[in-house]
Amino acid sequence: MTEHKWMMSDKPDDDGDPSLLVQTRPKTKRPPLYKVLLLNDDYTPMEFVVHVLERFFGMTHAEAFEIMLTVHKKGVAVVGVFSHEIAETKVGQVMDFARRHQHPLQCTMEREE
Ligand code: TYC
């Protein structure tokens, strides 16, 4: 009986591409998360910002007041972390609400590392 020697790249599952040989677990990449940021300005009333945080981010009055003060003092704060779609919705709601009340309040989103 003669021993069979596989010839180069004739094994059933090996076409010679090394990148296909090292995958052990299936990839389950989680979707990225996005931070929603509120920016300070000199004109938007503090009470308006507190109301925004209560209304669109589900904060209590005390939580909202604390975050508002952080933005006022530091210039910016993360007010929530969401999927891309939810973050976009929150930013849109805040920007629209601020514009309708003629306040220059700015809200943006940024991918979380
Ligand atoms: N700096 C504003 C003021 O003194 C208050 C303020 C807080 C504005 C937070 C925007 O995101 C903001 N009236």
Side-chain angles (χ1 to χ4, degrees):
M1 173 154 164
T2 53
E3 184 195 353
H4 175 73
K5 291 275 188 205
W6 287 108
M7 300 294 289
M8 193 184 305
S9 297
D10 66 353
K11 293 197 203 78
D13 238 79
D14 178 5
D15 65 359
D17 183 342
S19 70
L20 301 177
L21 302 177
V22 292
Q23 187 77 18
T24 51
R25 294 163 299 169
K27 272 211 188 91
T28 56
K29 250 178 68 192
R30 291 161 303 161
L33 291 173
Y34 289 79
K35 299 179 282 190
V36 171
L37 308 167
L38 205 58
L39 278 60
N40 188 36
D41 66 72
D42 292 339
Y43 305 103
T44 304
M46 289 185 173
E47 319 82 72
F48 183 83
V49 177
V50 171
H51 180 70
V52 161
L53 293 172
E54 291 172 334
R55 181 172 179 140
F56 299 115
F57 297 92
M59 296 184 192
T60 65
H61 189 79
E63 288 167 349
F65 197 88
E66 189 177 310
I67 300 290
M68 179 281 296
L69 270 190
T70 300
V71 179
H72 177 68
K73 290 191 249 181
K74 305 212 178 220
V76 63
V78 176
V79 299
V81 178
F82 308 96
S83 69
H84 188 273
E85 186 174 355
I86 300 292
E88 266 192 338
T89 300
K90 300 281 182 195
V91 170
Q93 287 172 332
V94 173
M95 294 300 283
D96 190 53
F97 193 63
R99 186 190 48 75
R100 274 162 32 218
H101 289 83
Q102 301 187 299
H103 295 310
L105 181 63
Q106 294 293 305
C107 185
T108 60
M109 59 194 273
E110 183 177 286
R111 199 178 146 151
E112 190 176 65
E113 294 314 317

